[in-house]
Amino acid sequence: SPESLTQARPRSTIMFFKQPFLVWPPLPGLSGRREDSVYSPMVMDHFSNPRNVGYIENPTVAVQYGEPSCGDCLLIFLTIENNRLREMKYKVLGCAAAIATASMTSVMATGRTVEQALKLTEKEIAEALGGLPPDKMHCSNLAVGALKAALDVHLGRQQEQEV
């Protein structure tokens, strides 16, 4: 009978199924979450506590980069004064690496001149985060690509005003 099957099961088996993230046998350094084994502590810090998230009310330039319908997307806002990035904020749709690289890009770009910010590379962002898995390097392309696209729009507007 079904009642006798329930009574015959060891109690620990029933408890095991109530713990959906249990890793058995326990592995050193793993909590059972995939990202703990893949991402550096710096990536996890910027993912858990992203810097400069939000909107700028009157930005110098705002650009959407990426396609939200098919994956990661970044909406970036810049305030540029005297050829220097005074503020960078963003909204991001993406994985932990996309969030962390957007956060680190905002930290590294703020305070730089436009020319210095244009020279930021995906590799510099990834290195500042303590590295990214090879299959997540495209996430750093998103953040740096968005920054460069926004700066290109800004520079294009400046050239139009000079003419």
Side-chain angles (χ1 to χ4, degrees), residues 41-53:
M42 185 66 79
V43 170
M44 292 307 296
D45 179 45
H46 276 265
F47 166 64
S48 300
N49 306 296
R51 281 60 157 191
N52 304 313
V53 175

Side-chain angles (χ1 to χ4, degrees), residues 54-63 75-81 84-90 105-106 109-110 114 117-118 143 146-155 157:
Y55 300 95
I56 296 175
E57 198 161 313
N58 293 305
T60 306
V61 64
V63 169
L75 183 58
I76 186 172
F77 304 88
L78 300 177
T79 299
I80 301 169
E81 293 175 353
R84 192 169 293 275
L85 272 75
R86 187 175 66 76
E87 188 176 21
M88 176 179 162
K89 292 201 180 262
Y90 61 90
T105 300
S106 72
T110 301
V114 170
L118 280 167
L147 174 62
K148 290 181 179 185
L151 293 172
D152 286 345
V153 169
H154 171 69
L155 291 172
R157 287 179 184 165

Side-chain angles (χ1 to χ4, degrees), residues 93-114:
L93 172 67
C95 66
I99 294 166
T101 57
S103 175
M104 182 58 82
T105 300
S106 72
V107 168
M108 291 180 70
T110 301
R112 292 183 183 223
T113 65
V114 170

Side-chain angles (χ1 to χ4, degrees), residues 5-132:
L5 287 174
T6 304
Q7 291 173 348
R9 286 188 199 145
R11 196 165 191 65
S12 62
T13 304
I14 294 169
M15 292 304 293
F16 175 81
F17 290 110
K18 289 183 179 179
Q19 308 254 345
F21 298 109
L22 183 66
V23 175
W24 194 259
L27 300 172
L30 289 183
S31 69
R33 296 182 307 200
R34 180 179 179 268
E35 54 274 356
D36 285 350
S37 63
V38 175
Y39 296 125
S40 72
M42 185 66 79
V43 170
M44 292 307 296
D45 179 45
H46 276 265
F47 166 64
S48 300
N49 306 296
R51 281 60 157 191
N52 304 313
V53 175
Y55 300 95
I56 296 175
E57 198 161 313
N58 293 305
T60 306
V61 64
V63 169
Q64 178 178 315
Y65 193 82
E67 182 55 51
S69 65
C70 64
D72 297 346
C73 180
L74 190 63
L75 183 58
I76 186 172
F77 304 88
L78 300 177
T79 299
I80 301 169
E81 293 175 353
N82 299 320
N83 199 44
R84 192 169 293 275
L85 272 75
R86 187 175 66 76
E87 188 176 21
M88 176 179 162
K89 292 201 180 262
Y90 61 90
K91 287 291 190 169
V92 62
L93 172 67
C95 66
I99 294 166
T101 57
S103 175
M104 182 58 82
T105 300
S106 72
V107 168
M108 291 180 70
T110 301
R112 292 183 183 223
T113 65
V114 170
E115 292 76 20
Q116 291 169 334
L118 280 167
K119 292 179 183 176
L120 267 176
T121 66
E122 294 87 356
K123 184 178 178 188
E124 287 177 291
I125 300 301
E127 286 174 355
L129 286 167
L132 289 171

